[in-house]
Every structure is written in C-alpha cells, then in structure tokens.
Amino acid sequence: MELSEFVDRLDEELRHDEYADLDASANGLQIGPEEGTVDRVAVAVDGVRETFELAAEADADVLVVHHGISWGGFDRVTGRTYDRVRTLIENDLALYVSHLPLDGHQDLGNAAGVADVLELSDRAPFGELGPQYIGQRGVADEPYAPDELCERLESGLETDDNSVQHLAFGPDEIEDVAIVTGSGTDWLEHAAEIGADALVTGEGKQKAYHAAQEAGIHVFLAGHYASETFGVRSLQGLVEEWGLETTYFEVPTGL
C-alpha cells in the first residue's frame, strides 16, 4: 500500500480534520516521506526512542502511536529530539499519530475499549471538548459493586500488575459509567451533573479527591498507559484487514 493512501485512510476514519483546532498533538503523519510504501506496520501507545528502536528492529515501514513527538511543533531538533528523529529517518521509519481523535472514536477509541471491558450498553459520547468528544458513557447490564468494577478494570486492562486507585465516594451500586481515558478528571463535575455513578480515567489530580467526595461519585484511576492501549490495538486490527502485516509493542510505564 502507498504510504499516502495509508495516511489518508486513517485520517478519514479518525476524523483528524475535525480535531485540528482542539488538539495540541500534530495528528496524522508526523515524520515520513511524501512518497513510500507500507507493508509492515508497528503499533505502540507511545512514540519514544524505545518504541522507535523496536519498530526499526522489526523492519516496520510505519509506527502508529497514540502519543507522538510533536505537540505544537519544534523550536529546535537537538538533543533527545534529534536522537528520536534520527532513529526514524536512519531506518526509513514513518511515524503516524492519533491523539484525541483516537480517545474519542466511538468504535475504535480508547474509551470505547474500556467500555467493552466493562460490558456497557446504551453508549453515548461523553467528555465534550468544543464540538467533539473524547470519551464515552454507558450503562452496566447488571450493577457493579464498587470493588467488582475495580477488579474488572484490573483484569481487563494492561495495568502491569498495578492496582487501580479508587476514590470511593459514590453509591453502593454502579450502573451509569462515564469514561475519559488518560488524564480525564477535568470531566468529573460533568459526569456527576449528568447522573453518572462513576468516572473511569487513567490518572488523577489532587483536586479530584475532594471534588469526587463533594459530588458523591466514584472515580477509578486505572493508569494513563493502561487506559490507552485499546485505540492503537483497534487500529492494528483495522490495518490487518487492509492486508498489512502488524506488530504490537507493549511498553508499559506503570503510570
């Protein structure tokens, strides 16, 4: 497949144009030639030197990640940035990135993957950011006890044997669950306002403790990395349907 076609197809599926003014990430092809072909695709959560080297060793043509290396552009390509870029260029390895669009995609996204783990139904977009959404909301067919939901997250996410942190300020039974992966506690108040029993996200902020306590809502902190493996794995499955060879690199941070 031509690299340009690969990029265009992913850009269209992920609706990158609609997030262009909302996301600090330069989504799409961040590093790569205008012309090229793709036979082997590597996939990882983070675009960092370790995953670049792994993808190069696998002789991949493109690495697809959630977190890239351009967040508003570069002032200078020196130091660690130079080392990262050099690894890509010397190995003729393209870098494709999807950040917020991959969080909010209602079928392929990170929040959708967490909702799958929790077996939620009646799903709807959640986590409004301008005219778009970066999360999902759903209802459990059978109410969860708080410890049961915590156990389901620990068994269903790549938590690297880390415990899910739980701010236990909600009801005894959890039915309505809001999800924003990564760092999503900024949507805690909205989750409470719309009647959610719990917010599931990756990492928290200090103020989230008292905000959850005052709002009477559960908050589950599953880890930033662990909550955001689903999107790239979904893209892996998609590009395999296009007839491309893929490899997924699991490089958990424990955070």
Side-chain angles (χ1 to χ4, degrees), residues 21 45-46 50 83 112 128 188 198 200 225 236 244 246 250:
D21 296 329
V45 173
D46 298 311
E50 183 174 2
D83 291 337
E128 189 173 355
L188 187 158
V200 176
Y225 178 93
Q236 179 185 16
L244 299 175
T246 70
E250 183 177 343

Side-chain angles (χ1 to χ4, degrees), residues 21-213:
D21 296 329
L22 305 173
D23 200 345
S25 172
N27 295 314
L29 186 67
Q30 284 195 354
I31 299 207
E34 293 183 358
E35 297 181 358
T37 58
V38 178
D39 295 308
R40 290 175 296 277
V41 180
V43 177
V45 173
D46 298 311
V48 293
R49 187 170 64 184
E50 183 174 2
T51 56
F52 296 166
E53 292 173 348
L54 288 169
E57 290 171 5
D59 199 25
D61 302 304
V62 60
L63 173 64
V64 176
V65 301
H66 181 50
H67 300 127
I69 62 174
S70 178
W71 303 87
F74 301 116
D75 293 324
R76 293 177 175 82
V77 181
T78 60
R80 287 190 294 273
T81 300
Y82 176 81
D83 291 337
R84 291 169 178 166
V85 172
R86 180 175 62 181
T87 300
L88 294 168
I89 293 175
E90 287 182 347
N91 291 280
D92 198 21
L93 175 63
L95 178 66
Y96 184 93
V97 177
S98 186
H99 184 232
L100 295 183
L102 190 54
D103 285 322
H105 195 290
Q106 295 300 294
D107 297 315
L108 303 175
N110 289 314
V114 175
D116 288 342
V117 168
L118 297 177
E119 298 181 344
L120 303 182
S121 56
D122 298 327
R123 299 187 194 184
F126 174 77
E128 189 173 355
L129 186 65
Q132 303 300 330
Y133 293 87
I134 59 171
Q136 194 169 94
R137 178 188 181 191
V139 178
D141 294 334
E142 295 290 337
Y144 283 102
D147 59 342
E148 291 174 341
L149 193 146
C150 195
E151 290 170 2
R152 178 65 66 90
L153 290 172
E154 289 178 349
S155 64
L157 276 62
E158 298 176 21
T159 59
D160 197 31
D161 295 327
N162 291 312
S163 298
V164 172
Q165 291 182 279
H166 176 206
L167 306 182
F169 298 119
D172 293 337
E173 291 188 340
I174 298 173
E175 295 183 87
D176 195 321
V177 181
I179 304 165
V180 177
T181 60
S183 180
T185 54
D186 287 345
W187 283 268
L188 187 158
E189 296 284 358
H190 183 57
E193 288 171 3
I194 64 174
D197 301 315
L199 172 70
V200 176
T201 187
E203 62 181 274
K205 298 178 180 178
Q206 166 69 14
K207 64 181 182 179
Y209 180 94
H210 293 290
Q213 185 181 52

